[in-house]
C-alpha cells in the first residue's frame, strides 16, 4: 500500500521511526523504494549531487519537475515529496500556488516541501494546505538561506531555539503534515518533537525525531562534500572508479569484448 501523510501520522502515534531518503533519478528512486523506505524526497540538494552546482540556489523549477517525474516513474510505494526551489515560492502567495500546483499537476509527487517558518511562509503553507496540497515544512538550517545562515548549526542559543520551536509549531498550525528539522541540537529536536502532533524528520538533529532523512548521495559515498552529520554506508564512488578502471584495462589489453563465434 502507498505511504501517505496519514500513514506517517500513524507512524508517529505508534512511535515507528519514519525512514526518508532523497532521490534524483529513476534508477536511484527504484532501488531506494524497493529497499522499503517510507518517504522519498526529491530534494533540491540534487542541484549539488546530480547537477554539480555549488549550492541549492541555482536549480530551476523545470529541472525539479524533470527530476521529480523521473523519480516518480521508479517509485511504487513510498510517499514522494518534491522540494520547491529557491525563489519559486517566496515572492508571493500566487507564485507559491503556481509552483506547488505545477509540481503536483506535472509530476506524480504527492506532496511538496518548502523552507522556512516566518509569518509570510506560514500564510503560504496555510493557503497551500487549504487548496489540498500536502506540505512538508523545513526549519533549522535551511540551505536556501546559505548566504545569510551559512551551514552552521541553528537553535543553539535560547533566542534561536525559541524561534525554531515557534516556527515548527506555526507550521503545524498552518496544516503542514510533517516538518524537517535540520542541524539543530538533539535536545531542541526532542522538545519540538514532543510539542508537535505531526511527525518531525531529522537531519543532523539527533535521534529523538520521529524519523530521519539523509541525502542518498552522502549515504552511498557519491558526494564530493558531505555535512558532518551525514553517515556514509558505502563507498560507491570507489566501486564505480574501480569498475571503470577494470573495464578500461580490459579494453586496452583487448580482453574485452570476447570474440563471439558465429
Ligand atoms: O534538499 C534536500 O535534500 C533536503 C534534505 C537535506 C532534507 O532538503
Amino acid at each position: 500500500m502507498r505511504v501517505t501523510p496519514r500513514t506517517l501520522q500513524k507512524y508517529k502515534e505508534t512511535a515507528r521511526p519514519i525512514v526518508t531518503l532523497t532521490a534524483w533519478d529513476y534508477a536511484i528512486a527504484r532501488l531506494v523504494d524497493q529497499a522499503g523506505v517510507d518517504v522519498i524526497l526529491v530534494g533540491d540538494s540534487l542541484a549539488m549531487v546530480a547537477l554539480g552546482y555549488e549550492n541549492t540556489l541555482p536549480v530551476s523549477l523545470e529541472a525539479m519537475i524533470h527530476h521529480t517525474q523521473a523519480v516518480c516513474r521508479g517509485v511504487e510505494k513510498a510517499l514522494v515529496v518534491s522540494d520547491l526551489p529557491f525563489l519559486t515560492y517566496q515572492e508571493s502567495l500566487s507564485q507559491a500556488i503556481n509552483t506547488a500546483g505545477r509540481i503536483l499537476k506535472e509530476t506524480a509527487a504527492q506532496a511538496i516541501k518548502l523552507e522556512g517558518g516566518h509569518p509570510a511562509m506560514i500564510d503560504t503553507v496555510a493557503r497551500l494546505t487549504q487548496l489540498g496540497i500536502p506540505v512538508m515544512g523545513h526549519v533549522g538550517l535551511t540551505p536556501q538561506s546559505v548566504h545569510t545562515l551559512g551551514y552552521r548549526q541553528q537553535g543553539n542559543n535560547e533566542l534561536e531555539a525559541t524561534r525554531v520551536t515557534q516556527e515548527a509549531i506555526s507550521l503545524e498550525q498552518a496544516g503542514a503534515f510533517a516538518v524537517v528539522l535540520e542541524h539543530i541540537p538533539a535536545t531542541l529536536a526532542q522538545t519540538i518533537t514532543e510539542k508537535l502532533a505531526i511527525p518531525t524528520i531529522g537531519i543532523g538533529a539527533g535521534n529523538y525525531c520521529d524519523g530521519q532523512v539523509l541525502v542518498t548521495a552522502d549515504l552511498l559515498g557519491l558526494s564530493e562534500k558531505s555535512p558532518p552529520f551525514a553517515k556514509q554506508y558505502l563507498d560507491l564512488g570507489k566501486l564505480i572508479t574501480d569498475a571503470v578502471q577494470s573495464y578500461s584495462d580490459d579494453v586496452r589489453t583487448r580482453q574485452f569484448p570476447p570474440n563471439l563465434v558465429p
Side-chain angles (χ1 to χ4, degrees), residues 133-165:
I133 300 176
V135 178
M136 179 180 274
H138 184 157
V139 296
L141 194 172
T142 44
Q144 291 178 7
S145 306
V146 56
H147 295 309
T148 47
L149 299 180
Y151 289 122
R152 61 179 178 80
Q153 191 187 53
Q154 301 295 301
N156 49 18
N157 61 57
E158 216 179 306
L159 200 69
E160 270 189 22
T162 307
R163 177 182 55 77
V164 176
T165 308

Side-chain angles (χ1 to χ4, degrees), residues 24-27 29-30 65-75:
W24 51 88
D25 67 11
Y26 171 77
R30 212 175 115 257
I65 289 175
H66 180 73
H67 283 266
T68 303
Q69 287 168 337
V71 165
C72 291
R73 287 193 283 269
V75 178

